[in-house]
Amino acid sequence: MMDASETPTAATDIVDLRSDTVTLPTEAMYEAMRSAPLGDDSRDSDPTVRALEARAASLTGKTAALFVPSGTMGNLVAMLAHGERGGEVFADGGAHLFNSEIGSMVTVAGLVPRSVPSRRGAMDEEMLAQAIRAASSAGRPRPALIWMETTHNGAGGTVLPLPHMARIHALGRESAIAVHVDGARLFNAAVALGVSAHQIAAHADSLMFCVSKGLSAPVGSLLVGDDALIARARAFRRIVGGNMRQAGVIAAAGLVALDTMIERLREDHEAAARLAQGLAWLDPALAQPDHVQTNILRIDVTNSAHDAAGWASALRASGILVQASGATQLRLVTHRHIDRAAVDRTLAAFSAVAPQA
Ligand SMILES: Cc1ncc(COP(=O)(O)O)c(C=O)c1O
């Protein structure tokens, strides 16, 4: 059993590449959690939560921010705060919103998905304009939102180019439709582009980012926007049961994440690049290194003898955990617990499974 003074660490015999959400808090986060000033956030507000919200707003150049327990709740309260029930949300078909959050979008926010053809996570701008024109005809509910995701999980951690985001935002303004950015991995995008989070958020009316993914905080996401939008989102957070009490305990870890973990994400991108290069050397059909921009690799196993579940279970036997996405795709995500030795072990395990595949 663990001594109270010990900090739990990731199991060393397992290389867990399923997600960057498996990251554990750093020692500095535990320290901050122990000493954070606390209050009943739902009643009188919690000073550490306020500090995290202020920091999130200033990092993204917005006037206000709201701390929520999850990215899904951040996206949901954004939809509730922006949307008129029955309105359409324009996003690319591979968006996390349409694949994993469709239940809350349709049943709670009462919005309708409208998928726009896209390339590597970026919507086709002309097709988006056409879809908005078609949806704006009389007798239909007003279009509710334009939705972008960066980095793009389903497309393999791809980063939306800033000029593309700027044009989409301009289209939103011309059509009087708000633009929301799902920036669950906002800081991976910022580090990959070599820009500040502020420069990405400039192309969004609201943006959600998570501190619980590669930044390694245990819990939490932030929704940022203007004062009026965040006030509405705060009221909806209460309605969906997201009000918290001494939430400063987790917000304290979020502050440490923002203070100390952003630049470190570069190491995760380097690890993903090394993985992709090693896999492509093993079999060029497995990975395209020039497609890997951040910490997510999507591997197509269509032309191998195993399906995705077969690969996942064969790799698990060597202590390597990957996520099977559908029948033909594996997802590998690098993070703080994936060092050089973990990358080498992963490549060795792939090379042992590959001949049988
Ligand atoms: C792009 C994207 N958006 C939103 C979410 C939802 O975040 P959470 O798991 O904190 O609800 C995720 C989770 O992986 C994600 O990858």
Side-chain angles (χ1 to χ4, degrees):
M1 227 174 71
M2 206 160 46
D3 183 87
S5 65
E6 284 177 42
T7 302
T9 54
T12 46
D13 51 337
I14 296 287
V15 175
D16 193 344
L17 290 154
R18 290 169 303 163
S19 178
D20 45 10
T21 56
V22 302
T23 44
L24 295 170
T26 63
E27 190 53 40
M29 289 178 191
Y30 283 109
E31 282 307 317
M33 289 160 82
R34 268 184 216 112
S35 56
L38 302 175
D40 182 340
D41 192 44
S42 188
R43 189 175 302 274
D44 319 309
S45 122
D46 175 295
T48 308
V49 171
R50 287 295 85 74
L52 177 60
E53 290 176 340
R55 181 123 173 75
S58 91
L59 270 175
T60 53
K62 302 293 183 201
T63 55
L66 176 70
F67 187 45
V68 285
S70 69
T72 301
M73 188 182 286
N75 283 337
L76 173 60
V77 294
M79 286 185 276
L80 288 163
H82 280 294
E84 273 170 49
R85 289 184 79 78
E88 293 179 4
V89 179
F90 301 88
D92 81 287
H96 192 272
L97 175 71
F98 288 173
N99 285 316
S100 304
E101 301 168 51
I102 194 80
S104 60
M105 172 184 168
V106 172
T107 64
V108 185
L111 296 172
V112 177
R114 178 65 64 188
S115 134
V116 177
S118 66
R119 200 173 148 269
R120 304 186 65 209
M123 283 181 280
D124 181 297
E125 294 168 25
E126 184 44 39
M127 303 281 250
L128 172 62
Q130 275 175 27
I132 289 172
R133 279 196 295 277
S136 304
S137 57
R140 285 175 67 165
R142 254 192 57 71
L145 266 180
I146 299 173
W147 194 276
M148 292 188 269
E149 181 179 319
T150 192
T151 67
H152 197 288
N153 184 342
T158 51
V159 182
L160 294 181
L162 286 188
H164 166 77
M165 295 188 75
R167 288 190 296 271
I168 300 273
H169 195 204
L171 176 64
R173 283 215 185 97
E174 283 159 29
S175 331
I177 306 173
V179 172
H180 175 79
V181 170
D182 175 345
R185 296 181 179 81
L186 171 68
F187 295 99
N188 294 85
V191 164
L193 286 173
V195 302
S196 65
H198 193 305
Q199 285 166 279
I200 298 176
H203 305 305
D205 299 304
S206 60
L207 180 145
M208 180 283 293
F209 72 81
C210 301
V211 289
S212 57
K213 298 197 160 64
L215 297 181
S216 299
V219 185
S221 299
L222 288 119
L223 177 68
V224 298
D226 67 23
D227 292 358
L229 182 90
I230 296 302
R232 279 199 300 283
R234 200 174 283 283
F236 279 117
R237 184 186 67 172
R238 175 179 290 278
I239 288 174
V240 298
N243 267 15
M244 296 176 280
R245 303 297 175 173
Q246 286 74 30
V249 171
I250 48 177
L255 276 166
V256 176
L258 294 178
D259 284 342
T260 64
M261 303 300 282
I262 293 174
E263 278 306 313
R264 203 212 53 80
L265 294 172
R266 201 177 299 284
E267 294 168 24
D268 301 344
H269 300 179
E270 285 161 7
R274 274 206 307 283
L275 257 182
Q277 280 150 13
L279 289 171
W281 184 82
L282 208 58
D283 177 354
L286 284 177
Q288 290 173 281
D290 54 337
H291 280 192
V292 176
Q293 298 177 339
T294 58
N295 69 331
I296 302 180
L297 266 92
R298 297 242 170 211
I299 297 176
D300 186 351
V301 293
T302 310
N303 295 321
S304 70
H306 288 314
D307 64 5
W311 272 96
S313 86
L315 291 166
R316 183 178 294 117
S318 314
I320 311 294
L321 305 186
V322 301
Q323 184 178 299
S325 296
T328 60
Q329 205 180 63
L330 300 176
R331 188 184 78 162
L332 278 62
V333 186
T334 55
H335 52 75
R336 208 177 98 244
H337 306 309
I338 304 298
D339 58 10
R340 193 167 272 276
V343 170
D344 291 346
R345 261 189 72 189
T346 305
L347 291 172
F350 266 89
S351 103
V353 177
Q356 315 146 29

